[in-house]
Each structure stands twice: as C-alpha cells, then as structure tokens.
Amino acid sequence: NAMDSKLNHNKRILVKCGGFSSQLAKNVTEKVDGDPLWGSRFDATNPQAVIQTHLDFLRSGADIILTNTYQSSVEGFVEHLGVSRERGLELIEKSVHLAQEAKRQHLKENNVTSTSNLPLILGSIGPYGAYLNDGSEYSGNYADTFTKDQLKEWHRTRMEVCVAAGVDGLALETLPCQLEAEAVTELVLDSFEGTNFWVSFQCQDELRLASGESFAQAALSVWRLVKQRKAEHRLLGIGVNCVNPNFVSSLLTSVVEAVGGSDHIPFVVYSNRGEIYDVEKEEWTGTGEEVAKFVPQWIKLGARIVGGCCRVYPSDVLEIRKYVDGLCIDP
C-alpha cells in the first residue's frame, strides 16, 4: 500500500553528518577555524580533501551530507580569494559537485545501483553573520540594521546556485534571530517551489535564540509560514544546530508546549559538544559531551533528523547511526 509505505518513510529517522569543517581540519594541513572563509576556501584550494571529508561521514552512516557552503558567498570569495564574481558563483556550484562526487564514490563502494535518493545532499545556507566572520551568528546583532528584504536578497544568490546545481534540498541553518529565519523561510517557500528544506536556529540557552528572542516563538513563526502556504510536505524540520546538547531537550519541549496538542512539528537537531568557541583564540575551549547519548531523548521529543555540528566527528555519527538502526520504528 503506497500510503502505508509513505507513512513508514515519514517515520524514518535520518542521520545527518557531523561538523564538516572540524573533520576537514583532519584532512588538510592548513588551519581551518578562524579563516574568514572557514572551510569554504578548500573547495577552491583542496577539493580532494572536501570529497574525503564527505566520504568520512558517509562511511560512518550519514543519510544526509551538507555542501561545504556554510560560509560561502560571492562577496566573501571576491574579498578573500581575490576572484571574479563569476568565479565566486562557480565555487558555490563546485561545492555541490564535490558533495555529489562523494556520494557517487560512496554508492559505488557499496555496489548500490538502486534509485534510492539517500544519501541526501543539502545545500548549507549559513546566516549573514557567518559572512561577517566576527562571530555575529552567535549574537544576531545585525538584525537591527537589516530589513527582511535585504536579507532575502543577500541569501538569494547562493540558494539559486545550490538549487540549480541539483541539491536535494536546503539546510537554512545556524540562524541567530527570528527576522533572518522568516526571511530565508519566505524566500525558499515563494521563490524555490518544490525545494525541500529545514530551518535551524542557533540558541544561547534552554529557551532563547542567540539574539535573546524566544526560540519557541521563532519556531512557531516559521511553522505558520509553512502552513499558510500548505507546504508542510516540503519541510524536513525546524530545529537547532551548533547548540549545547544540554539545552536541546528544553528547547524542543518549549516548542511542543507552545504548539499545543494539534500540530506535530518535525524537529531537526544537530548540536555541537557543548564547548565554547573563543573568537579571540579562534579555537574551541572546554571539555565536550558525547552527542550520541542525547539522541534518544531528542527522538522522543519528535526529532526526525539527528546529527552533529562543530566538533562532532565521524566516530560520533557512527554511534548515532548504531542507535537509530536499533530503533524498531519501521514495522
């Protein structure tokens, strides 16, 4: 029965890769953290290391990989690589092609000829704050100086290139404030019909976005935009990323309580290890948590996509994979 299989498919928990740039740092000799282009520089300078990094996660059981475009923008490439605008656009496209090449190699290694759409490749659409390279995606302090339309215009180019290059969807991620989340959600809903997506926030504690706004209210605002356009089938999830794993259950619970009983919002969660990024030293400080141990609780609360962000490595993804494989969700 097609409907049954669709329902079963919807119940399936998908495992996202871990922190791309954290693993990339193990595959290159240069420093990655602190670079104004972060991992994005390596699409140009070391594409083989980018493919290898994707493969490291795919071989550990990731169902979803993200393009290395979190900190990519034409402006950033022009400014920091000294390339033309056209070359900047090509580099964003190349990032998608490198992820596609890793997927091709991975399927070949496993002799998979099936038409399964897994693993999925999502275009990583990081916030405007990432381009500023001053840590402002952890404060959202630019929300007061921009209009929603300006943010849409800035985001449009990278989204267009990723979609044209054939991604399976867009990961609108590490969003520090409600305004930017609404901007990218409206943009993908109205200008990229048919493109699936998730919307993921950066949060500073158990209740609030990086900007200090309510996570529950921001998540509900995104959910309403999706429902208004009857686009629930395109939404992969609403959630949090690069957030302390100890905050996640409270954050998700705050949304469940705000929504009430009628709606079930699918959640996406990919936390960091709970360490702190020191902007001055350009490195992560503190001791981290094992992300996999939090996953059962997140799934109970409605997470449908789980994985890691900064400092979460293929070994962690493998632990998450093992846990998810042990769930008897599919009959």
Side-chain angles (χ1 to χ4, degrees):
N1 178 317
M3 192 61 200
D4 278 355
S5 63
K6 189 169 166 49
L7 286 171
N8 292 341
H9 172 71
N10 289 347
K11 283 185 194 168
R12 178 160 184 188
I13 309 287
L14 296 178
V15 177
K16 181 207 164 283
C17 56
F20 187 86
S21 286
S22 303
Q23 180 62 14
L24 178 66
K26 296 188 168 187
N27 290 325
V28 297
T29 50
E30 303 90 333
K31 191 172 189 289
V32 178
D33 281 349
D35 188 300
L37 296 173
W38 204 29
S40 294
R41 173 182 301 274
F42 295 90
D43 290 336
T45 60
N46 194 341
Q48 207 47 51
V50 170
I51 293 172
Q52 182 60 50
T53 302
H54 285 310
L55 279 169
D56 292 342
F57 285 119
L58 289 170
R59 287 168 179 156
S60 298
D63 295 310
I64 300 173
I65 56 173
L66 267 52
T67 58
N68 181 29
T69 50
Y70 175 82
Q71 205 141 320
S72 299
S73 64
V74 172
E75 301 90 327
F77 285 141
V78 169
E79 194 177 327
H80 300 295
L81 286 178
V83 298
S84 67
R85 188 176 164 80
E86 290 68 34
R87 177 68 179 144
L89 291 167
E90 277 171 19
L91 282 171
I92 297 172
E93 182 182 34
K94 182 178 181 184
S95 198
V96 178
H97 292 162
L98 294 174
Q100 289 166 337
E101 174 57 24
K103 174 176 175 172
R104 196 188 63 75
Q105 286 184 29
H106 177 65
L107 292 177
K108 192 176 164 192
E109 279 171 16
N110 292 286
N111 295 319
V112 177
T113 50
S114 83
T115 52
S116 163
N117 55 357
L118 293 179
L120 297 174
I121 297 170
L122 297 194
S124 168
I125 307 296
Y128 179 72
Y131 156 68
L132 298 175
N133 188 43
D134 59 3
S136 60
E137 70 254 53
Y138 297 102
S139 65
N141 57 11
Y142 51 88
D144 305 334
T145 53
F146 278 88
T147 66
K148 196 188 276 186
D149 283 342
Q150 285 173 314
L151 285 167
K152 283 182 186 177
E153 278 319 297
W154 186 81
H155 275 287
R156 186 184 297 273
T157 305
R158 176 174 45 173
M159 286 162 71
E160 280 175 350
V161 176
C162 284
V163 169
V167 292
D168 299 307
L170 296 172
L172 314 171
E173 57 177 352
T174 328
L175 297 160
C177 55
Q178 186 169 324
L179 181 76
E180 189 166 18
E182 290 176 357
V184 288
T185 302
E186 288 176 10
L187 182 57
V188 76
L189 286 169
D190 298 338
S191 300
F192 297 91
E193 283 176 30
T195 300
N196 292 346
F197 64 99
W198 74 51
V199 181
S200 185
F201 291 90
Q202 211 290 318
C203 296
Q204 59 170 287
D205 59 22
E206 288 94 340
L207 291 171
R208 294 180 303 161
L209 304 183
S211 62
E213 297 167 287
S214 156
F215 168 65
Q217 290 312 309
L220 277 182
S221 157
V222 169
W223 179 239
R224 286 190 196 108
L225 290 171
V226 171
K227 283 184 72 175
Q228 278 163 11
R229 291 160 174 80
K230 299 187 170 45
E232 291 93 334
H233 60 287
R234 290 174 53 195
L235 179 72
L236 298 168
I238 298 173
V240 293
N241 75 286
C242 223
V243 60
N244 186 322
N246 291 290
F247 299 160
V248 172
S249 290
S250 304
L251 286 160
L252 298 185
T253 302
S254 72
V255 178
V256 172
E257 288 172 352
V259 172
S262 54
D263 283 1
H264 293 286
I265 299 177
F267 290 132
V268 55
V269 179
Y270 46 114
S271 77
N272 57 32
R273 300 192 99 80
E275 300 152 313
I276 305 294
Y277 187 72
D278 186 320
V279 177
E280 299 294 311
K281 290 185 184 161
E282 299 180 339
E283 64 186 26
W284 291 87
T285 59
T287 54
E289 298 270 16
E290 296 297 320
V291 171
K293 75 176 192 192
F294 294 89
V295 166
Q297 186 62 34
W298 300 343
I299 290 174
K300 260 198 200 93
L301 286 165
R304 287 293 163 260
I305 296 167
V306 288
C309 208
C310 291
R311 309 267 299 159
V312 179
Y313 294 98
S315 55
D316 301 294
V317 170
L318 185 59
E319 288 306 306
I320 296 171
R321 171 86 268 157
K322 286 176 181 166
Y323 175 74
V324 168
D325 284 347
L327 292 172
C328 296
I329 287 189
D330 284 340

